[in-house]
Amino acid sequence: MKIIVGAIVIKNNKILMVKEAKKNCYGKWAFPAGHLEENETIFEGVKRETKEETGCDIELKQVFPIITNGKNIIMIHILADLVNDSIQYNKDEIIETKWIELEELKKMKDDELRSYPVVDFIVQNLEKKRLYELDMIQNLTNL
């Protein structure tokens, strides 16, 4: 099972996006996201991936509905506030970062986005304010 965690960082009504440098999705825009590492909490993973892909520190606010493909992928996205805006990234993984207005993001096509269905899902839930409190995710270390 793959667990992918990502951040939806908003500043001045714009969403922080990254343009991928990986071969399988080269040149496509995505939210800062990646695979959860072993022994890492969801919250730690979201913060780490955002820092690795953008250089920014974030404060987690709310959770979007969880996405699954019904088989072997679970995606968890968290709405976050920017703590610092020190854009830096590994150019082997990320081509560039950009603050994109919601309306511009909604007009992007499938060939511009790493995963159009995921971006569309997040945008729809953001507009409908379908978000949940962070405490819906609980870490119980004694399981």
Side-chain angles (χ1 to χ4, degrees):
M1 176 77 57
K2 293 179 188 177
I3 300 175
I4 298 167
V5 294
I8 311 306
V9 185
I10 300 176
K11 176 178 121 177
N12 300 327
N13 295 316
K14 294 180 180 180
I15 298 175
L16 182 59
M17 301 289 286
V18 297
K19 188 179 270 190
E20 300 276 2
K22 297 174 194 119
K23 188 177 182 178
N24 65 329
C25 53
Y26 187 85
K28 294 191 176 192
W29 291 101
F31 302 117
H35 296 274
L36 192 66
E37 294 181 356
E38 193 169 334
N39 297 319
E40 183 176 53
T41 69
I42 291 166
F43 300 145
E44 291 167 345
V46 172
K47 289 179 179 182
R48 176 188 51 75
E49 284 292 342
T50 303
K51 183 77 168 181
E52 287 176 5
E53 295 191 358
T54 69
C56 297
D57 294 312
I58 56 172
E59 178 185 347
L60 307 179
K61 303 303 273 179
Q62 292 180 295
V63 180
F64 284 84
I66 294 170
I67 300 168
T68 179
N69 68 350
K71 298 174 186 167
N72 61 350
I73 296 175
I74 294 174
M75 300 178 85
I76 302 167
H77 292 85
I78 298 183
L79 181 66
D81 284 341
L82 191 65
V83 172
N84 76 359
D85 193 353
S86 61
I87 301 290
Q88 314 171 32
Y89 48 88
N90 179 343
K91 295 192 191 253
D92 291 332
E93 290 191 29
I94 303 296
I95 297 168
E96 70 176 293
T97 63
K98 183 178 179 182
W99 292 97
I100 299 178
E101 290 188 17
L102 186 60
E103 291 306 313
E104 182 184 349
L105 187 59
K106 287 166 55 174
K107 292 176 185 173
M108 288 182 161
K109 305 292 181 209
D110 188 43
D111 63 342
E112 297 174 275
L113 299 168
R114 179 169 183 177
S115 178
Y116 178 84
V118 170
V119 173
D120 184 54
F121 178 83
I122 294 297
V123 167
Q124 285 184 33
N125 281 282
L126 192 56
E127 290 182 324
K128 293 176 185 174
K129 298 182 182 352
R130 274 189 59 200
L131 295 150
Y132 302 92
E133 298 305 314
L134 290 176
D135 65 2
M136 76 168 281
I137 299 174
Q138 294 291 317
N139 293 314
L140 302 178
T141 57
N142 58 349
L143 292 179

